[in-house]
Amino acid sequence: MSSNNTRHVRVMIVGSGLSGLGAAIRLSQRGMSDFVVIERGPDVGGTWRDNTYPGAGCDVPSHLYSYSFALNPDWSRSFSPQPEIEQYLRTVSERYGVRDKHLFDCAMTATRWNDADGRWEIETSKGAFTADFVVSAAGVLAEPNLPDIKGISSFEGELFHSARWNHDATLTGKRVAVVGTGSSAVQIVPSIAPDVEHLDVYQRTATWVMPQVSRPYLALERFAFKRIPGLQRLMRALIYLQREFYVVTQVKYPWTGIVLETVGRVKMRWEIRDPELRRKMLPEHRIGCKRMLVSNKFYGALDRDNVDVVTDGIAEVRPGSIVSEDGTEREVDAIVLATGFHVADSPTFNLYTGRDGRTLSEAADDEGFQMYKGTTVANFPNMFFMLGANSGLNYTSLIYIIESQINYLVDAIETMKQQNLRSFEVKVDAQVAYNKQLQPKLARAVWADGGCTSWFLDKHGNNSALWPDFSFKYRRLVRKFDIEAYETTPKTP
């Protein structure tokens, strides 16, 4: 790599969603100013900038879905809509003065470890960089999963993924198909169903839908959150504890999920009149095996006269229709792909080349998607992955995990400086031993034998996405950088 036009930084952060922005703020707070955040989009926000589909919002309560150092007393509702979260992140980036550390509309195209120099070489759409440390904060919900369906490229109507919503497309009065019934679809379907002529919802697997206690906050409540010291933190703590309860039903004693399943069955019986539709929507897997959905509007939308739920798979797409596997052809003017994201197989993994010359994707192909404490990987020195393998949660706010990992990476960088070290790399034995410790917990969880397949599993059949315990135990695990688990190289004089 030519050095003439190459800029060197101490820390390169890739992505400015919740993880990348949080890391930038914490580095700044600790007096580390030699860093840059590259963001392929036009602003901060990540998934909350990109997912602007009708009805987009958070399924984690508002007071828990914010940084612990930047609580927001002005949330309008108990569950925040997408525009408010996006604005919150913009406001936080300005308040903590890190916007000038960003390069927007700057996509990373390749990153390779240079062992001789002990640094990362990074190619971007705005030039070359080198960095002592790289923080991969590209996000787990960043790369849309586009289904490989016969003939889909021949479709002549509007066709787009939920995460790339085409706001120029008019769906009012049109025949629309929504493919998928996951977290995005349960928000999209109720939002567009009253306006379209007809809506076909293509469902591969029914999923449990729980009630959502969603309401607007009163002006008096927002005033109290602002003026009464500790009130909002108390509310946040109570929500946190309530959410941790789900660990019991998903990991510790999955049989207790029968209580939640009963709630789901009663909800379905109450909200869906049609017995045949209830049959289609009743999940065959245990609750928690797939991500639980929350909505008070989804079942009612499916029960409308102009909405059909199609459970036969899609055989092919034609220029103006969809043909299901039973041979039925349904005319359609627009197709919305609510088909989720690449998580365990993110295309961004192809962009990181480690010390042994393999990309992260190649390493995962050989060994499964494994990391040490969800944030470092053998053969990838001086690199941190935010929300890496087995650090995700499907029951509470990921911001809790994000802040835990940020504390770990900041402590690591400070430790490197204090001990005058050039590089660190997790020992293979430490990584293997750590993942072996996870397996018994994962094996007894509902995700292992709950009767479903999900994006939690990689192609080896391993659950590489979720943390199988209480979230406070994960925070304790990464409270301090455990340098004894790493091979280190001292700086040369």
Side-chain angles (χ1 to χ4, degrees):
M1 181 181 291
S2 171
S3 61
N4 293 337
N5 299 312
T6 301
R7 176 183 172 187
H8 180 74
V9 293
R10 177 75 166 152
V11 183
M12 169 68 76
I13 301 172
V14 183
S16 189
L18 283 159
S19 297
L21 180 58
I25 292 171
R26 187 58 56 86
L27 289 175
S28 180
Q29 289 176 327
R30 298 295 277 266
M32 303 181 199
S33 59
D34 188 11
F35 68 88
V36 166
V37 185
I38 59 172
E39 167 55 55
R40 68 182 180 182
D43 208 334
V44 301
T47 190
W48 295 110
R49 180 199 62 230
D50 295 339
N51 284 266
T52 59
Y53 57 79
C58 191
D59 59 4
V60 173
S62 301
H63 289 298
L64 197 57
Y65 205 79
S66 58
Y67 297 120
S68 63
F69 56 82
L71 301 187
N72 178 19
D74 293 318
W75 294 121
S76 68
R77 302 187 61 83
S78 54
F79 289 83
S80 309
Q82 173 269 331
E84 284 191 34
I85 301 174
E86 183 183 12
Q87 185 56 50
Y88 165 77
L89 293 172
R90 287 179 180 171
T91 300
V92 168
S93 70
E94 293 166 357
R95 183 190 311 166
Y96 288 90
V98 295
R99 290 187 71 86
D100 62 345
K101 294 290 188 180
H102 283 68
L103 282 177
F104 294 114
D105 298 311
C106 178
M108 185 187 73
T109 55
T111 301
R112 178 179 294 273
W113 174 253
N114 183 321
D115 208 35
D117 294 339
R119 58 179 51 172
W120 287 96
E121 297 177 343
I122 305 147
E123 297 286 351
T124 79
S125 58
K126 289 192 173 181
F129 293 81
T130 58
D132 296 328
F133 302 94
V134 168
V135 179
S136 175
V140 293
L141 303 181
E143 300 294 333
N145 181 21
L146 302 176
D148 183 17
I149 300 174
K150 178 183 177 183
I152 195 166
S153 60
S154 70
F155 186 66
E156 295 177 351
E158 296 288 351
L159 172 67
F160 48 86
H161 192 275
S162 59
R164 302 291 184 266
W165 194 271
N166 181 3
H167 291 277
D168 293 329
T170 301
L171 301 183
T172 302
K174 300 292 182 62
R175 297 164 299 183
V176 180
V178 172
V179 181
T181 52
S183 299
S184 299
V186 299
Q187 297 177 341
I188 293 169
V189 169
S191 300
I192 67 174
D195 300 321
V196 302
E197 177 187 326
H198 187 82
L199 179 62
D200 290 319
V201 180
Y202 286 83
Q203 173 180 271
R204 183 174 58 182
T205 307
T207 305
W208 292 100
V209 181
M210 293 288 103
Q212 185 177 48
V213 186
S214 179
R215 65 176 182 84
Y217 282 123
L218 303 174
L220 181 61
E221 290 177 290
R222 296 198 297 273
F223 177 82
F225 291 139
K226 282 182 181 178
R227 301 299 182 185
I228 300 178
L231 179 61
Q232 193 173 9
R233 290 201 179 276
L234 175 61
M235 173 73 77
R236 180 183 175 94
L238 292 173
I239 295 171
Y240 172 79
L241 291 173
Q242 181 265 327
R243 287 271 160 165
E244 289 296 291
F245 162 77
Y246 288 112
V247 178
V248 176
T249 64
Q250 295 185 15
V251 181
K252 303 295 185 180
Y253 306 103
W255 61 268
T256 61
I258 189 67
V259 176
L260 294 176
E261 289 179 13
T262 301
V263 173
R265 289 172 182 271
V266 171
K267 175 182 172 63
M268 186 186 305
R269 182 86 181 181
W270 182 263
E271 297 179 4
I272 298 179
R273 297 166 298 172
D274 181 5
E276 176 60 19
L277 180 57
R278 287 200 298 267
R279 184 191 65 78
K280 289 182 179 180
M281 300 310 299
L282 183 63
E284 296 181 356
H285 60 267
R286 295 162 67 187
I287 196 163
C289 183
K290 297 172 74 73
R291 183 178 176 90
M292 286 184 294
L293 309 178
V294 291
S295 175
N296 296 333
K297 301 176 181 179
F298 183 54
Y299 284 155
L302 298 182
D303 210 24
R304 292 175 58 92
D305 292 338
N306 68 327
V307 178
D308 287 326
V309 176
V310 183
T311 55
D312 295 298
I314 297 175
E316 67 172 308
V317 175
R318 295 176 180 170
S321 62
I322 295 177
V323 181
S324 53
E325 290 178 349
D326 67 349
T328 303
E329 182 175 6
R330 297 173 176 87
E331 293 185 352
V332 63
D333 302 309
I335 300 175
V336 177
L337 301 173
T339 46
F341 299 85
H342 291 281
V343 178
D345 60 342
S346 173
T348 61
F349 297 160
N350 290 312
L351 304 180
Y352 298 105
T353 302
R355 182 179 49 78
D356 64 356
R358 291 185 303 169
T359 65
L360 187 61
S361 290
E362 290 169 337
D365 281 344
D366 295 340
E367 301 147 11
F369 188 39
Q370 293 186 359
M371 291 186 179
Y372 179 68
K373 296 187 176 181
T375 189
T376 57
V377 188
N379 288 309
F380 289 80
N382 291 15
M383 178 171 279
F384 302 94
F385 290 87
M386 302 300 298
L387 298 178
N390 293 114
S391 66
L393 303 172
N394 76 331
Y395 61 87
T396 192
S397 175
L398 277 175
I399 298 177
Y400 186 85
I401 296 293
I402 288 169
E403 291 193 14
S404 303
Q405 292 180 334
I406 290 171
N407 291 338
Y408 189 73
L409 75 87
V410 169
D411 191 43
I413 294 171
E414 290 180 337
T415 301
M416 296 287 288
K417 182 179 180 180
Q418 292 164 4
Q419 300 191 19
N420 199 34
L421 300 174
R422 186 181 77 161
S423 68
F424 72 87
E425 178 189 333
V426 66
K427 298 173 183 176
V428 173
D429 290 349
Q431 181 171 300
V432 170
Y434 172 75
N435 281 276
K436 280 186 177 179
Q437 290 173 359
L438 291 181
Q439 295 313 307
K441 294 181 179 180
L442 289 165
R444 74 182 187 190
V446 69
W447 319 310
D449 63 353
C452 75
T453 57
S454 72
W455 58 264
F456 302 153
L457 307 179
D458 63 20
K459 72 176 189 177
H460 295 272
N462 301 320
N463 186 328
S464 57
L466 299 180
W467 166 247
D469 213 325
F470 294 106
S471 63
F472 59 81
K473 288 191 175 181
Y474 181 83
R475 173 158 291 189
R476 189 185 309 158
L477 188 72
V478 295
R479 181 176 56 85
K480 219 172 158 41
F481 181 63
D482 48 339
I483 197 167
E484 63 276 3
Y486 293 82
E487 299 283 0
T488 57
T489 304
K491 283 186 176 179
T492 54

